[in-house]
Amino acid sequence: MVSVLTTRPLDGCLDYLVQQGGADKGDFVEVPIGNSQSMGVVWGEGEGAVPPDKLRRIRRVLPLEPMQPEMRSFLCRLAAYTVSPLPAVLRLATRTPGILTPPPARDVFCLTGFLPDKLTVARRRVVRVLEERGGIPTTATELAEEAGVSTSVVKGLEKLGTLRKEQALVDESYPTLGPLEKQIELTEDQFRAASFLKSSLGKGRYSTTLLKGVTGSGKTEVYLEAVAEALRLGKQALVLLPEIALTTQFLDRVAERLGGKPGVWHSAINASERRRLWRMAGEGKVQLVVGARSALFLPFRNLGLIVVDEEHDSSFKQEEGVHYNARDMAVLRASICGATAVLSSATPSLETWVNARARKYERLDLQARYGSATMPDLETIDMREAALPRNRWISGALALEIQERLSRGEQSLLFLNRRGYAPLTICRACGNQVGCRDCDARMVEHRFRTLLICHQCGAERPVPADCPACGVEGKLVPVGPGVERLEEEVRDLFDNARITVMSSDIIGSQQSLTEMIDLVTRGGTDIVIGTQLVAKGHNFPQLTLVGVIDTDVGLQGGDYRAAERTFQLVRQVAGRAGRSEKKGLALLQTCQPEHPVIQAIIAADDEGFWVAEAAEREVAGAPPFGRYASIVISGRNPMQVVDCATQMVRQANPLFQIGAQVFGPAPAPIARIRGRTRYQILVKADRNTPFQAALVAWKKTLAMPTGVNMSINIDPQRFA
Ligand code: ADP
Ligand code: ZN
């Protein structure tokens, strides 16, 4: 008897009898549940909850590489940390569609045994490759690549009778990577950092290192050296990136450095490619995977290195289902499999900075930008004195600098983290703000698409001619700027400038994003207007001016991470200026130039900022010094949601027992999404209390009525 974990929404494992031939821990199996079959993983000894005569039998062991003990342990600990059911966590690791579908049939070649005396060098090389592979049938492309010849050589050998063509179910393999294709001379800082990481890898023990350095200081070059070392040691490597930083430019750069394309994993990768990568990772046949957060769940066989680039990025946190943070879980996975973890950022998260200060993580600093590039000058523009007319957002001082860039043939970037035309549409007759029917959110006008769009649920409707509330015609006006509206102002101010707006609505596809980045890189535009899409990674050599239109946006609202996020985002955007020889300038428009966060940005006083921010969080008992969990209760029936949430707080004894504070229930900051009312309970506890255990004990006492959902978010990025 064994226990089997499936992805069915149950509490845990189910017991099964073992079929003939046995089943070992980690085996992927097919088991009956009710009237259907489910895929599962043999998780351990049976638990004995079911009487022996009621036990059912495992149907079959599936032809997949068994799940490694390391992976099982990772999933268990992730489930415990995030207070999530194991089946939901298993789903993360197996949700690749069609992992059971056999690979496609393709033409492969094997040796016939007939070997003429005389063979050309090229042909001989192909034969040798096959011999070295023990005669395993191989595709023409692979043979040609490994032998360094063209595929016609393989075809020629077939004609000759030395090779035979067959059909086989095999995946195309990934190109062999490394050693470093393109050698570059590292600076002293870089060399020291790279050597440190290489020696960590050599020890084969777990460690985590914060790699900190301003944008352009060569962090990527340094961690690619570490990747190459991992590959040299025969280990697999994983580089996690925020999805929007996973551009072709980045992948080309990796390919250029390592001599081949890595495996790539993100939401737009098609099903057959996912299946291939999932299986190859498990068979140890892909050396490097570059991917978005869910790549962390690939079943690597021999993982030696995990890099989390832009580690502070909030997109590493999954905000639905299992609320995990891929950065933290990367560290967990590395610690379980004895791998080296590298967290790379110009503006690390406070958590990581504190862990480095506490010596839990190593820390490496790259001090300067590479080459002659220097950090841009940073200045504020006091918008209280700018005296702008209505519906204008570009101050005279900023406009002047843009004009100067235009006359010098350099580029400017205007940063405004607001998609669409105007964040708010208001009726001048009745004061009504046009809202979404299903959400507690305003509809945002998108003039480019001539629609009002809800940024919560995506609902769209035409811009109405008359007010939906009072019916008066022609009184609806847009209020406030979005990037599209800013574009109008820019066109107005700078007649002949070439303008590019970079915003996800306008760009649409990864393809057009790539084209747009190319355009800007080549200098094919003068002024870029962008949302946070432009904040990351791109290297625009002609760009020497960054204007932050509204530096204060992120500082409003009571979110405990507001300061940190603003600091990171503005520093990052400012870092786009002056990445080549020309000196850059970043101008921050603000109504509160004396605000400590803005002062810290201007002074480029990173350490000062973190010291102050850490002190403040410590006093407040906020993460990482205390623990938060945000619990959202949602449902279609508002009364039921309130009742349920209230009852949950009454039953919160297990939480009080660890001295936790429980706040709420209160309407969540977004009190309705997609027609579901949302209430929030906040739990706050000291750092060294059994937080998760208490939450689990509490959860066990709760009976959620049908139609009401509860989701637990440990370490919330924001209060939802
Ligand atoms: P970061 O990841 O810190 O933003 P990058 O690794 O992208 O920095 O480096 C910035 C630019 O400088 C890249 O174009 C990179 O190729 C180049 N660069 C960095 N270090 C070196 C070096 N030692 N030799 C040559 N080019 C370098
Ligand atoms: Zn909506």
Side-chain angles (χ1 to χ4, degrees), residues 354-385:
V354 166
N355 279 331
R357 184 175 68 173
R359 301 287 164 102
K360 272 196 229 160
Y361 297 170
E362 307 287 344
R363 172 170 166 169
L364 297 167
D365 282 85
L366 301 180
Q367 298 297 352
R369 280 191 163 184
Y370 176 73
S372 53
T374 50
M375 284 306 283
D377 290 329
L378 291 151
E379 288 166 23
T380 52
I381 294 175
D382 190 338
M383 294 306 277
R384 292 167 304 191
E385 290 163 10

mmCIF file of all heavy atoms in Angstrom, residues 354-385:
data_model
loop_
_atom_site.group_PDB
_atom_site.id
_atom_site.type_symbol
_atom_site.label_atom_id
_atom_site.label_comp_id
_atom_site.label_asym_id
_atom_site.label_seq_id
_atom_site.Cartn_x
_atom_site.Cartn_y
_atom_site.Cartn_z
ATOM 1 N N VAL A 354 18.073 42.930 4.095
ATOM 2 C CA VAL A 354 18.167 42.592 5.522
ATOM 3 C C VAL A 354 18.842 41.230 5.710
ATOM 4 O O VAL A 354 19.689 41.066 6.589
ATOM 5 C CB VAL A 354 16.762 42.611 6.175
ATOM 6 C CG1 VAL A 354 16.780 41.953 7.543
ATOM 7 C CG2 VAL A 354 16.246 44.032 6.287
ATOM 8 N N ASN A 355 18.493 40.277 4.860
ATOM 9 C CA ASN A 355 19.135 38.964 4.956
ATOM 10 C C ASN A 355 20.634 39.040 4.710
ATOM 11 O O ASN A 355 21.408 38.300 5.307
ATOM 12 C CB ASN A 355 18.500 37.980 3.974
ATOM 13 C CG ASN A 355 17.214 37.392 4.524
ATOM 14 O OD1 ASN A 355 17.053 37.267 5.740
ATOM 15 N ND2 ASN A 355 16.288 37.061 3.643
ATOM 16 N N ALA A 356 21.036 39.938 3.827
ATOM 17 C CA ALA A 356 22.468 40.101 3.569
ATOM 18 C C ALA A 356 23.125 40.784 4.771
ATOM 19 O O ALA A 356 24.222 40.412 5.195
ATOM 20 C CB ALA A 356 22.690 40.905 2.288
ATOM 21 N N ARG A 357 22.426 41.755 5.343
ATOM 22 C CA ARG A 357 22.983 42.452 6.505
ATOM 23 C C ARG A 357 23.148 41.477 7.671
ATOM 24 O O ARG A 357 24.124 41.534 8.410
ATOM 25 C CB ARG A 357 22.064 43.605 6.918
ATOM 26 C CG ARG A 357 22.627 44.425 8.064
ATOM 27 C CD ARG A 357 21.765 45.628 8.385
ATOM 28 N NE ARG A 357 20.466 45.240 8.943
ATOM 29 C CZ ARG A 357 19.578 46.105 9.428
ATOM 30 N NH1 ARG A 357 19.841 47.406 9.410
ATOM 31 N NH2 ARG A 357 18.435 45.695 9.913
ATOM 32 N N ALA A 358 22.201 40.554 7.776
ATOM 33 C CA ALA A 358 22.254 39.582 8.867
ATOM 34 C C ALA A 358 23.196 38.416 8.547
ATOM 35 O O ALA A 358 23.243 37.430 9.279
ATOM 36 C CB ALA A 358 20.850 39.065 9.168
ATOM 37 N N ARG A 359 23.890 38.509 7.415
ATOM 38 C CA ARG A 359 24.841 37.477 6.978
ATOM 39 C C ARG A 359 24.179 36.141 6.641
ATOM 40 O O ARG A 359 24.855 35.121 6.591
ATOM 41 C CB ARG A 359 25.929 37.216 8.040
ATOM 42 C CG ARG A 359 26.742 38.441 8.393
ATOM 43 C CD ARG A 359 27.667 38.751 7.234
ATOM 44 N NE ARG A 359 28.199 40.103 7.323
ATOM 45 C CZ ARG A 359 29.410 40.392 7.744
ATOM 46 N NH1 ARG A 359 30.228 39.427 8.073
ATOM 47 N NH2 ARG A 359 29.817 41.640 7.793
ATOM 48 N N LYS A 360 22.868 36.154 6.438
ATOM 49 C CA LYS A 360 22.242 34.924 5.976
ATOM 50 C C LYS A 360 22.554 34.736 4.506
ATOM 51 O O LYS A 360 22.594 33.627 3.996
ATOM 52 C CB LYS A 360 20.722 35.017 6.157
ATOM 53 C CG LYS A 360 20.282 34.562 7.521
ATOM 54 C CD LYS A 360 18.789 34.294 7.497
ATOM 55 C CE LYS A 360 18.133 34.988 8.656
ATOM 56 N NZ LYS A 360 16.707 35.196 8.490
ATOM 57 N N TYR A 361 22.687 35.844 3.797
ATOM 58 C CA TYR A 361 23.102 35.804 2.406
ATOM 59 C C TYR A 361 24.477 36.441 2.301
ATOM 60 O O TYR A 361 24.801 37.350 3.065
ATOM 61 C CB TYR A 361 22.148 36.613 1.513
ATOM 62 C CG TYR A 361 20.724 36.132 1.438
ATOM 63 C CD1 TYR A 361 19.754 36.924 0.827
ATOM 64 C CD2 TYR A 361 20.337 34.892 1.955
ATOM 65 C CE1 TYR A 361 18.436 36.504 0.740
ATOM 66 C CE2 TYR A 361 19.015 34.471 1.867
ATOM 67 C CZ TYR A 361 18.072 35.285 1.268
ATOM 68 O OH TYR A 361 16.766 34.880 1.176
ATOM 69 N N GLU A 362 25.252 35.973 1.344
ATOM 70 C CA GLU A 362 26.483 36.671 0.997
ATOM 71 C C GLU A 362 26.094 37.906 0.210
ATOM 72 O O GLU A 362 24.998 38.002 -0.320
ATOM 73 C CB GLU A 362 27.369 35.789 0.119
ATOM 74 C CG GLU A 362 27.653 34.416 0.687
ATOM 75 C CD GLU A 362 28.610 34.485 1.843
ATOM 76 O OE1 GLU A 362 29.284 35.542 1.997
ATOM 77 O OE2 GLU A 362 28.678 33.513 2.621
ATOM 78 N N ARG A 363 27.018 38.847 0.093
ATOM 79 C CA ARG A 363 26.689 40.024 -0.702
ATOM 80 C C ARG A 363 27.886 40.440 -1.540
ATOM 81 O O ARG A 363 29.009 40.531 -1.048
ATOM 82 C CB ARG A 363 26.279 41.170 0.222
ATOM 83 C CG ARG A 363 26.104 42.464 -0.521
ATOM 84 C CD ARG A 363 25.464 43.528 0.321
ATOM 85 N NE ARG A 363 25.631 44.815 -0.347
ATOM 86 C CZ ARG A 363 25.014 45.926 0.017
ATOM 87 N NH1 ARG A 363 24.201 45.923 1.056
ATOM 88 N NH2 ARG A 363 25.215 47.036 -0.633
ATOM 89 N N LEU A 364 27.626 40.667 -2.816
ATOM 90 C CA LEU A 364 28.659 41.151 -3.727
ATOM 91 C C LEU A 364 28.190 42.469 -4.320
ATOM 92 O O LEU A 364 27.047 42.585 -4.734
ATOM 93 C CB LEU A 364 28.872 40.151 -4.871
ATOM 94 C CG LEU A 364 29.374 38.762 -4.496
ATOM 95 C CD1 LEU A 364 29.230 37.818 -5.678
ATOM 96 C CD2 LEU A 364 30.825 38.835 -4.046
ATOM 97 N N ASP A 365 29.064 43.444 -4.369
ATOM 98 C CA ASP A 365 28.707 44.749 -4.918
ATOM 99 C C ASP A 365 29.527 45.070 -6.158
ATOM 100 O O ASP A 365 30.739 44.911 -6.148
ATOM 101 C CB ASP A 365 28.954 45.844 -3.880
ATOM 102 C CG ASP A 365 27.842 45.885 -2.851
ATOM 103 O OD1 ASP A 365 27.932 45.114 -1.881
ATOM 104 O OD2 ASP A 365 26.892 46.675 -3.039
ATOM 105 N N LEU A 366 28.828 45.471 -7.209
ATOM 106 C CA LEU A 366 29.533 46.023 -8.362
ATOM 107 C C LEU A 366 29.368 47.534 -8.243
ATOM 108 O O LEU A 366 28.255 48.041 -8.255
ATOM 109 C CB LEU A 366 28.937 45.515 -9.671
ATOM 110 C CG LEU A 366 28.955 43.995 -9.857
ATOM 111 C CD1 LEU A 366 28.336 43.617 -11.194
ATOM 112 C CD2 LEU A 366 30.375 43.453 -9.771
ATOM 113 N N GLN A 367 30.466 48.232 -8.111
ATOM 114 C CA GLN A 367 30.376 49.639 -7.730
ATOM 115 C C GLN A 367 29.990 50.576 -8.869
ATOM 116 O O GLN A 367 29.240 51.505 -8.677
ATOM 117 C CB GLN A 367 31.697 50.119 -7.110
ATOM 118 C CG GLN A 367 32.083 49.384 -5.837
ATOM 119 C CD GLN A 367 31.093 49.584 -4.702
ATOM 120 O OE1 GLN A 367 30.181 50.388 -4.810
ATOM 121 N NE2 GLN A 367 31.243 48.848 -3.619
ATOM 122 N N ALA A 368 30.522 50.340 -10.048
ATOM 123 C CA ALA A 368 30.355 51.355 -11.081
ATOM 124 C C ALA A 368 29.736 50.780 -12.335
ATOM 125 O O ALA A 368 29.742 49.571 -12.570
ATOM 126 C CB ALA A 368 31.717 51.959 -11.422
ATOM 127 N N ARG A 369 29.211 51.653 -13.156
ATOM 128 C CA ARG A 369 28.767 51.237 -14.474
ATOM 129 C C ARG A 369 29.963 50.827 -15.303
ATOM 130 O O ARG A 369 31.053 51.357 -15.123
ATOM 131 C CB ARG A 369 28.045 52.394 -15.155
ATOM 132 C CG ARG A 369 26.627 52.530 -14.676
ATOM 133 C CD ARG A 369 25.857 53.484 -15.522
ATOM 134 N NE ARG A 369 24.430 53.290 -15.291
ATOM 135 C CZ ARG A 369 23.479 53.929 -15.933
ATOM 136 N NH1 ARG A 369 23.787 54.795 -16.870
ATOM 137 N NH2 ARG A 369 22.218 53.712 -15.672
ATOM 138 N N TYR A 370 29.710 49.900 -16.220
ATOM 139 C CA TYR A 370 30.822 49.442 -17.042
ATOM 140 C C TYR A 370 31.218 50.519 -18.054
ATOM 141 O O TYR A 370 30.381 51.224 -18.591
ATOM 142 C CB TYR A 370 30.455 48.161 -17.786
ATOM 143 C CG TYR A 370 31.556 47.735 -18.712
ATOM 144 C CD1 TYR A 370 32.727 47.199 -18.199
ATOM 145 C CD2 TYR A 370 31.438 47.943 -20.077
ATOM 146 C CE1 TYR A 370 33.763 46.862 -19.038
ATOM 147 C CE2 TYR A 370 32.468 47.595 -20.924
ATOM 148 C CZ TYR A 370 33.637 47.058 -20.402
ATOM 149 O OH TYR A 370 34.656 46.736 -21.231
ATOM 150 N N GLY A 371 32.498 50.594 -18.319
ATOM 151 C CA GLY A 371 33.002 51.501 -19.344
ATOM 152 C C GLY A 371 32.923 52.943 -18.886
ATOM 153 O O GLY A 371 32.991 53.250 -17.696
ATOM 154 N N SER A 372 32.709 53.828 -19.848
ATOM 155 C CA SER A 372 32.717 55.241 -19.502
ATOM 156 C C SER A 372 31.350 55.708 -19.015
ATOM 157 O O SER A 372 31.180 56.834 -18.587
ATOM 158 C CB SER A 372 33.135 56.060 -20.721
ATOM 159 O OG SER A 372 32.311 55.696 -21.813
ATOM 160 N N ALA A 373 30.352 54.802 -19.080
ATOM 161 C CA ALA A 373 29.015 55.204 -18.646
ATOM 162 C C ALA A 373 29.010 55.505 -17.150
ATOM 163 O O ALA A 373 29.615 54.799 -16.362
ATOM 164 C CB ALA A 373 28.015 54.095 -18.947
ATOM 165 N N THR A 374 28.350 56.581 -16.791
ATOM 166 C CA THR A 374 28.236 56.913 -15.374
ATOM 167 C C THR A 374 26.765 57.004 -15.009
ATOM 168 O O THR A 374 25.893 56.992 -15.872
ATOM 169 C CB THR A 374 28.898 58.262 -15.060
ATOM 170 O OG1 THR A 374 28.403 59.221 -15.987
ATOM 171 C CG2 THR A 374 30.404 58.173 -15.169
ATOM 172 N N MET A 375 26.505 57.110 -13.721
ATOM 173 C CA MET A 375 25.122 57.246 -13.289
ATOM 174 C C MET A 375 24.615 58.624 -13.701
ATOM 175 O O MET A 375 25.363 59.595 -13.704
ATOM 176 C CB MET A 375 25.023 57.091 -11.778
ATOM 177 C CG MET A 375 25.149 55.658 -11.320
ATOM 178 S SD MET A 375 23.967 54.572 -12.143
ATOM 179 C CE MET A 375 22.471 54.994 -11.243
ATOM 180 N N PRO A 376 23.338 58.710 -14.044
ATOM 181 C CA PRO A 376 22.795 60.015 -14.434
ATOM 182 C C PRO A 376 22.735 60.964 -13.235
ATOM 183 O O PRO A 376 22.703 60.528 -12.091
ATOM 184 C CB PRO A 376 21.384 59.676 -14.901
ATOM 185 C CG PRO A 376 21.041 58.402 -14.219
ATOM 186 C CD PRO A 376 22.321 57.654 -14.075
ATOM 187 N N ASP A 377 22.752 62.257 -13.521
ATOM 188 C CA ASP A 377 22.456 63.230 -12.477
ATOM 189 C C ASP A 377 20.971 63.157 -12.171
ATOM 190 O O ASP A 377 20.150 62.941 -13.057
ATOM 191 C CB ASP A 377 22.799 64.644 -12.966
ATOM 192 C CG ASP A 377 24.309 64.823 -13.079
ATOM 193 O OD1 ASP A 377 25.029 64.187 -12.284
ATOM 194 O OD2 ASP A 377 24.759 65.581 -13.968
ATOM 195 N N LEU A 378 20.647 63.363 -10.912
ATOM 196 C CA LEU A 378 19.249 63.280 -10.503
ATOM 197 C C LEU A 378 18.819 64.606 -9.889
ATOM 198 O O LEU A 378 19.514 65.152 -9.036
ATOM 199 C CB LEU A 378 19.086 62.177 -9.454
ATOM 200 C CG LEU A 378 19.278 60.748 -9.949
ATOM 201 C CD1 LEU A 378 19.791 59.863 -8.838
ATOM 202 C CD2 LEU A 378 17.968 60.201 -10.479
ATOM 203 N N GLU A 379 17.691 65.126 -10.359
ATOM 204 C CA GLU A 379 17.183 66.382 -9.802
ATOM 205 C C GLU A 379 15.668 66.326 -9.703
ATOM 206 O O GLU A 379 15.014 65.633 -10.466
ATOM 207 C CB GLU A 379 17.570 67.558 -10.703
ATOM 208 C CG GLU A 379 19.052 67.908 -10.651
ATOM 209 C CD GLU A 379 19.453 68.841 -11.787
ATOM 210 O OE1 GLU A 379 18.573 69.542 -12.322
ATOM 211 O OE2 GLU A 379 20.650 68.832 -12.140
ATOM 212 N N THR A 380 15.130 67.120 -8.773
ATOM 213 C CA THR A 380 13.671 67.205 -8.690
ATOM 214 C C THR A 380 13.194 68.482 -9.375
ATOM 215 O O THR A 380 13.935 69.451 -9.507
ATOM 216 C CB THR A 380 13.173 67.259 -7.235
ATOM 217 O OG1 THR A 380 13.875 68.291 -6.556
ATOM 218 C CG2 THR A 380 13.390 65.951 -6.532
ATOM 219 N N ILE A 381 11.942 68.443 -9.808
ATOM 220 C CA ILE A 381 11.276 69.649 -10.284
ATOM 221 C C ILE A 381 10.062 69.832 -9.380
ATOM 222 O O ILE A 381 9.214 68.936 -9.284
ATOM 223 C CB ILE A 381 10.824 69.498 -11.748
ATOM 224 C CG1 ILE A 381 12.054 69.376 -12.650
ATOM 225 C CG2 ILE A 381 9.955 70.684 -12.169
ATOM 226 C CD1 ILE A 381 11.722 69.111 -14.099
ATOM 227 N N ASP A 382 10.012 70.962 -8.695
ATOM 228 C CA ASP A 382 8.925 71.200 -7.749
ATOM 229 C C ASP A 382 7.673 71.624 -8.506
ATOM 230 O O ASP A 382 7.589 72.733 -9.035
ATOM 231 C CB ASP A 382 9.343 72.282 -6.750
ATOM 232 C CG ASP A 382 8.346 72.377 -5.609
ATOM 233 O OD1 ASP A 382 7.187 71.946 -5.790
ATOM 234 O OD2 ASP A 382 8.730 72.886 -4.533
ATOM 235 N N MET A 383 6.695 70.735 -8.557
ATOM 236 C CA MET A 383 5.508 70.987 -9.367
ATOM 237 C C MET A 383 4.577 72.037 -8.753
ATOM 238 O O MET A 383 3.688 72.539 -9.412
ATOM 239 C CB MET A 383 4.751 69.678 -9.601
ATOM 240 C CG MET A 383 5.522 68.683 -10.441
ATOM 241 S SD MET A 383 6.076 69.382 -12.021
ATOM 242 C CE MET A 383 4.591 69.160 -13.006
ATOM 243 N N ARG A 384 4.805 72.356 -7.485
ATOM 244 C CA ARG A 384 3.983 73.404 -6.869
ATOM 245 C C ARG A 384 4.332 74.760 -7.480
ATOM 246 O O ARG A 384 3.537 75.674 -7.525
ATOM 247 C CB ARG A 384 4.196 73.438 -5.356
ATOM 248 C CG ARG A 384 3.641 72.198 -4.667
ATOM 249 C CD ARG A 384 4.134 72.093 -3.247
ATOM 250 N NE ARG A 384 5.599 72.101 -3.183
ATOM 251 C CZ ARG A 384 6.288 71.811 -2.082
ATOM 252 N NH1 ARG A 384 5.662 71.522 -0.955
ATOM 253 N NH2 ARG A 384 7.609 71.826 -2.102
ATOM 254 N N GLU A 385 5.576 74.824 -7.962
ATOM 255 C CA GLU A 385 6.012 76.085 -8.559
ATOM 256 C C GLU A 385 5.909 76.076 -10.077
ATOM 257 O O GLU A 385 6.193 77.080 -10.724
ATOM 258 C CB GLU A 385 7.470 76.365 -8.150
ATOM 259 C CG GLU A 385 7.593 76.701 -6.673
ATOM 260 C CD GLU A 385 9.029 76.570 -6.190
ATOM 261 O OE1 GLU A 385 9.936 76.403 -7.037
ATOM 262 O OE2 GLU A 385 9.231 76.636 -4.968
#
